[in-house]
């Protein structure tokens, strides 16, 4: 049956489709690049976002996302096919409405769908017969059918007959230069076959490969599987690194050796923890949904336990290695890098933040430097300002902690002027033959633990 549906959709795609005006709600890390893609493909796009700062930046032809340049924004604005607004009424006349709003976790790690449900409620009086509505926000299985569908049908329009609804999970990876957005295969689904066909016809015009699945639940779960896979494996390799520390075995050497196997092994690497907009969040959405069905994922549960324990473990390791058997209380720690991955300006769920909070709780004095982040918010609500990375600061610090190894990280400056470096990323090396380098370097997982 699936092959027959795919064949029919491909045949339909040979006919010019009518969806030429697309509204995209939420102009963040997902919605803004998606807007650019549709504009470049000749679509007229209306972007909606409640954040007036984003609207103002776009109108001034300025980008607030690192993967898009000011020139990219200017090109789209000057095309005459892209307008932005904070007013939902301006999406009137759109053939398709794509929702890319945040779906964060609540403080108790349950799904927070407030942005999504608020968007749907605002849409209801504006919906018109024949429109296609697409959800791209990551969420738990059943959200599109059980939450979004009833809200949209309050318009009086029947899904699958007068209104069309589909789900297509975003696959944005900020800072990834290996894959262009349009080259990443796009999973799609629809509440009905007609919904799916309309979504296929639209997305086939902007993505190189479109992958239909049988239901919105399957598409929602596929996104959660992708990130649960990474969540579990990254947590496992961090637990494995701690095991190697205790066995005095270098985990980095072990991974390199294992990765020479040409089949059956995918390399994951230790680090300060799991961060970003998806990997720390999506598995907990799946866990929450599983709990509603009276079951649990023990792998996700254990992985969350390992990930939450990393800041305390790393703080303990740093204290074990501080020169002169110094304690964390009163020690001066200088952190390099606070973003959740290298070469981006994104601190969402960054592992560096709980590590810094843990060090502060243990009585350490903490400064940080990150070329992309001028200040961060601490868990107590206060703001910590970044500092300049100078020879004097490096020399005065009891420990220089590498949390994020940006490409621009001045490795030689750090190794030549630090007394003790704790590297969570295996990014630095000390040349014992260099007379200018006297730093003690400990790499997380290198098996040198004294504890």
């Amino acid at each position: 049956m699936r092959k027959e549906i795919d064949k029919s959709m491909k045949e339909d795609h040979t006919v010019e489709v009518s969806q030429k005006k697309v509204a995209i709600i939420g102009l963040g890390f997902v919605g803004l690049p998606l807007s650019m893609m549709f504009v470049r493909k000749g679509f007229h796009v209306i972007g909606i976002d409640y954040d007036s700062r984003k609207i103002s930046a776009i109108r001034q032809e300025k980008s607030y996302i690192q993967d898009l340049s000011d020139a990219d924004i200017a090109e789209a604005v000057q095309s005459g096919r892209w307008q932005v607004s904070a007013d939902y009424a301006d999406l009137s006349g759109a053939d398709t409405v794509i929702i890319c709003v945040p779906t964060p976790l609540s403080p108790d790690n349950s799904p927070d769908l407030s942005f999504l449900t608020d968007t749907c409620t605002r849409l209801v009086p504006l919906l018109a017969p024949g429109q296609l509505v697409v959800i791209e926000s990551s969420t738990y299985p059943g959200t599109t059918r059980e939450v979004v569908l009833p809200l949209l049908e309050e318009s009086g329009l029947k899904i699958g007959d007068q209104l069309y609804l589909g789900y297509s999970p975003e696959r944005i990876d900020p800072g990834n230069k290996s894959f262009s957005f349009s080259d990443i295969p796009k999973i799609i689904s629809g509440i009905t076959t007609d919904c799916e066909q309309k979504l296929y016809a639209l997305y086939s015009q902007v993505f190189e490969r479109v992958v239909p699945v049988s239901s919105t639940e399957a598409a929602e779960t596929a996104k959660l599987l992708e990130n649960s896979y990474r969540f579990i494996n990254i947590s496992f390799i961090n637990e494995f690194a701690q095991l190697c520390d205790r066995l005095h075995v270098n985990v980095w050497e072990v991974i390199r050796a294992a990765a020479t196997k040409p089949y059956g092994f995918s390399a994951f690497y230790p680090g300060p923890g799991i961060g970003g907009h998806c990997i720390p969040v999506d598995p907990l959405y799946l866990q929450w949904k599983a709990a509603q069905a009276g079951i649990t994922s023990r792998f996700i549960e254990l992985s969350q336990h390992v990930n939450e324990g990393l800041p305390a473990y790393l703080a303990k390791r740093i204290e074990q290695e501080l020169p002169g058997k110094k304690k964390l209380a009163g020690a001066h720690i200088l952190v390099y890098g606070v973003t959740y991955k290298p070469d981006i300006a994104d601190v969402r769920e960054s592992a560096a933040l709980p590590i810094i909070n843990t060090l502060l709780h243990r009585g350490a004095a903490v400064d940080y430097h990150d070329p992309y982040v001028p200040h961060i918010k601490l868990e107590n609500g206060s703001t910590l300002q970044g500092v300049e990375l100078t020879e004097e600061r490096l020399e005065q610090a009891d420990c220089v902690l590498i949390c994020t190894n940006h490409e621009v990280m001045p490795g030689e400056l750090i190794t030549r002027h630090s007394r003790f470096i704790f590297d969570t990323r295996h990014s630095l090396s000390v040349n014992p033959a260099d007379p200018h380098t006297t730093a003690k370097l400990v790499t997380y997982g290198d098996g040198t633990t004294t504890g």
Side-chain angles (χ1 to χ4, degrees):
M1 182 61 181
R2 170 57 42 194
K3 290 182 179 178
E4 293 175 2
I5 292 175
D6 287 354
K7 183 175 184 291
S8 70
M9 286 191 289
K10 290 178 181 177
E11 289 172 349
D12 286 346
H13 179 50
T14 62
V15 180
E16 185 70 18
V17 296
S18 62
Q19 288 95 338
K20 284 297 182 184
K21 184 175 181 182
V22 175
I24 297 178
I25 301 176
L27 299 176
F29 286 84
V30 178
L32 191 62
L34 191 61
S35 298
M36 300 293 97
M37 282 185 56
F38 274 102
V39 171
R40 288 170 184 154
K41 294 294 183 177
F43 287 78
H44 291 268
V45 177
I46 170 70
I48 303 290
D49 201 292
Y50 70 88
D51 189 339
S52 60
R53 294 170 299 178
K54 292 178 182 176
I55 301 300
S56 177
I58 291 170
R59 288 174 176 167
Q60 295 174 41
E61 301 181 356
K62 300 294 183 184
S63 176
Y64 47 85
I65 290 179
Q66 193 170 338
D67 288 346
L68 294 170
S69 66
D70 291 348
D72 293 326
I73 302 297
E75 179 185 0
V77 171
Q78 294 169 19
S79 73
R81 296 192 305 278
W82 190 37
Q83 64 181 107
V84 293
S85 173
D87 188 351
Y88 276 63
D90 288 337
L91 57 76
S92 177
D95 302 289
T96 300
V97 179
I98 303 174
I99 300 175
C100 305
V101 297
T103 46
L105 288 170
S106 299
D108 64 354
N109 285 339
S110 63
D112 179 359
L113 299 184
S114 58
F115 293 101
L116 180 59
T117 56
D118 178 67
T119 296
C120 293
T121 301
R122 289 169 179 261
L123 275 179
V124 166
L126 304 171
L127 293 171
Q131 278 183 323
L132 169 66
V133 179
V134 186
I135 311 300
E136 290 235 355
S137 307
S138 297
T139 189
Y140 61 83
T143 300
T144 305
R145 191 182 306 274
E146 299 165 8
V147 178
V148 175
L149 185 153
L151 285 173
L152 298 186
E153 286 194 337
E154 289 180 8
S155 65
L157 302 173
K158 180 71 174 175
I159 299 294
D161 182 15
Q162 301 155 302
L163 192 66
Y164 302 93
L165 175 61
Y167 180 80
S168 179
E170 59 87 5
R171 281 174 158 174
I172 292 286
D173 185 16
N176 191 325
K177 297 178 176 60
S178 301
F179 300 97
S180 67
F181 192 8
S182 61
D183 289 338
I184 300 171
K186 197 77 169 89
I187 296 172
I188 66 159
S189 62
I191 291 293
T192 67
T193 299
D194 287 344
C195 296
E196 184 181 327
Q197 287 179 342
K198 283 187 174 290
L199 183 48
Y200 184 95
L202 175 67
Y203 276 17
S204 291
Q205 295 182 92
V206 290
F207 291 94
E208 290 298 318
R209 183 184 174 201
V210 177
V211 183
V213 295
S214 63
S215 67
T216 53
E217 288 82 2
E220 291 160 341
T221 309
K223 175 62 187 297
L224 302 189
L225 172 61
E226 292 171 15
N227 287 318
S228 295
Y229 168 81
R230 296 185 66 192
F231 181 77
I232 290 167
N233 280 284
I234 294 171
S235 297
F236 167 70
I237 205 65
N238 272 305
E239 182 183 58
F240 191 76
Q242 295 172 34
L243 183 152
C244 285
D245 266 345
R246 295 300 300 233
L247 296 177
H248 305 291
V249 175
N250 189 316
V251 71
W252 303 94
E253 180 184 10
V254 171
I255 295 170
R256 280 195 304 271
T260 61
K261 186 178 181 181
Y263 60 90
F265 180 83
S266 296
F268 287 83
Y269 299 94
I274 296 170
H277 64 298
C278 284
I279 299 177
V281 175
D282 290 359
L284 301 188
Y285 263 58
L286 184 58
Q287 185 75 305
W288 179 87
K289 183 63 175 180
Q292 306 309 298
I295 56 176
T296 187
S297 166
R298 290 162 63 186
F299 280 102
I300 292 175
E301 186 177 311
L302 289 170
S303 299
Q304 178 71 355
H305 177 74
V306 170
N307 194 50
E308 289 178 344
L310 264 175
Y313 177 80
L314 293 173
K316 177 183 177 182
R317 287 286 291 111
I318 291 168
E319 186 170 56
Q320 287 173 340
E321 302 292 346
L322 280 171
K325 296 185 178 181
K326 189 166 187 173
K327 297 297 182 182
L328 268 180
H332 178 208
I333 312 296
L334 177 59
V335 177
Y336 181 90
V338 295
T339 60
Y340 82 86
K341 63 185 290 190
D343 307 322
I344 62 171
D346 193 345
V347 296
R348 287 178 295 172
E349 306 296 331
S350 172
L353 304 185
I355 292 172
I356 289 173
N357 285 314
T358 298
L359 293 171
L360 290 170
H361 282 310
R362 294 285 302 275
V366 180
D367 285 316
Y368 87 90
H369 171 82
D370 192 303
Y372 298 105
V373 182
H375 55 81
I376 57 174
K377 284 284 187 185
L378 300 175
E379 65 179 7
N380 63 8
S382 65
T383 298
L384 183 64
Q385 299 289 337
V387 300
E388 186 179 354
L389 195 68
T390 64
E391 294 180 6
E392 183 180 11
R393 278 204 172 90
L394 291 166
E395 290 165 356
Q396 291 177 349
D398 293 300
C399 172
V400 177
L401 171 62
I402 309 299
C403 281
T404 311
N405 52 332
H406 295 300
E407 188 174 341
V408 296
M409 181 174 67
E412 186 173 301
L413 176 71
I414 293 172
T415 56
R416 285 195 169 190
H417 296 280
S418 304
R419 287 180 282 164
F420 166 46
I421 304 165
F422 192 94
D423 184 1
T424 69
R425 300 281 189 173
H426 191 49
S427 54
L428 295 177
S429 60
V430 172
N431 181 2
D434 185 349
H436 302 288
T437 301
T438 58
K440 172 186 177 181
L441 173 63
V442 174
T443 300
Y444 167 44
D446 68 2
T448 61
T449 178
T450 58

